Amino acid sequence: TPGKHEEESHIAFDKADAPYTDNNGGELYSGTVPVTITVTDTYSGIRDIQWSVIAPYDTANNQSGTVTIGNDGKVASGDTDWKLSKTENNLVTEMVKTIQVRNDSNNIVVLVKMTDRSGNTSEKKIEFGIDTTAPQIQVTYDNNNPDPENTDYYKEDRVATVVITERNFRAADVVMKI
């Protein structure tokens, strides 16, 4: 029954703690994030698992997959790299997979949906960001006319405008040495 299904947690995510936070306080990484997914159903067993990694700003690295378990307790179709970590007779009660998340984006969503052998479903997601793009720094001056005799010097005041382009910019992180 759905009530019995809700008595246990079915989907767990495991990943390293994020070393940084984005401007909204979300977890932020500087490179690939391995996410281990553990799907469990100890009462009626796992029938299928659907998973996806969706990033709004780096759709080329989005990924998804499905795995279906047959009545014999073996993978019938889909991702063959899921590990059947616990079984009971012909029921698969736990499966594990590690996904390498590589999207260079904020608001990356890892979503997992499982269906048990009785047709009950559970869904869970996590969200974080990965920023691998180096900031761009551009400096321009309002006075570009050097002294006629000493071309390495400027006779008049000169204002430098510094523009930093960075998706996760924080002014407090900028240190200027002049």
Side-chain angles (χ1 to χ4, degrees):
T1 64
K4 187 67 175 173
H5 180 77
E6 295 301 319
E7 288 181 11
E8 69 181 345
S9 177
H10 298 280
I11 301 166
F13 297 102
D14 185 38
K15 61 181 180 45
D17 292 334
Y20 310 104
T21 58
D22 63 20
N23 292 336
N24 297 320
E27 295 180 303
L28 185 64
Y29 297 86
S30 60
T32 300
V33 179
V35 177
T36 300
I37 303 166
T38 304
V39 177
T40 307
D41 192 300
T42 59
Y43 189 70
S44 60
I46 300 167
R47 181 184 348 181
D48 64 53
I49 302 168
Q50 300 170 338
W51 63 273
S52 62
V53 177
I54 301 170
Y57 307 112
D58 184 8
T59 57
N61 283 310
N62 288 353
Q63 50 185 317
S64 63
T66 303
V67 62
T68 301
I69 305 301
N71 291 334
D72 59 357
K74 295 180 181 167
V75 174
S77 65
D79 294 346
T80 57
D81 54 348
W82 279 88
K83 179 183 171 198
L84 283 71
S85 54
K86 291 184 183 172
T87 60
E88 183 180 319
N89 298 321
N90 67 326
L91 293 180
V92 174
T93 57
E94 185 177 274
M95 296 182 75
V96 178
K97 176 183 177 85
T98 300
I99 299 169
Q100 303 296 324
V101 181
R102 294 180 175 83
N103 306 65
D104 184 11
S105 175
N106 289 18
N107 308 109
I108 300 167
V109 174
V110 179
L111 176 67
V112 177
K113 179 180 178 182
M114 68 83 63
T115 304
D116 70 13
R117 300 211 68 77
S118 297
N120 299 302
T121 61
S122 291
E123 201 171 292
K124 190 172 182 181
K125 68 179 179 177
I126 57 172
E127 187 173 327
F128 56 89
I130 299 173
D131 190 347
T132 61
T133 304
Q136 295 179 354
I137 302 172
Q138 181 182 20
V139 180
T140 57
Y141 298 93
D142 68 338
N143 176 4
N144 292 314
N145 300 317
D147 183 78
E149 293 175 19
N150 299 305
T151 57
D152 290 339
Y153 299 98
Y154 293 84
K155 192 171 164 178
E156 302 295 325
D157 289 344
R158 196 168 189 215
V159 176
T161 302
V162 179
V163 177
I164 301 171
T165 305
E166 165 61 37
R167 180 171 18 113
N168 293 290
F169 178 79
R170 282 192 205 142
D173 293 342
V174 177
V175 177
M176 299 268 196
K177 292 184 179 181
I178 300 174

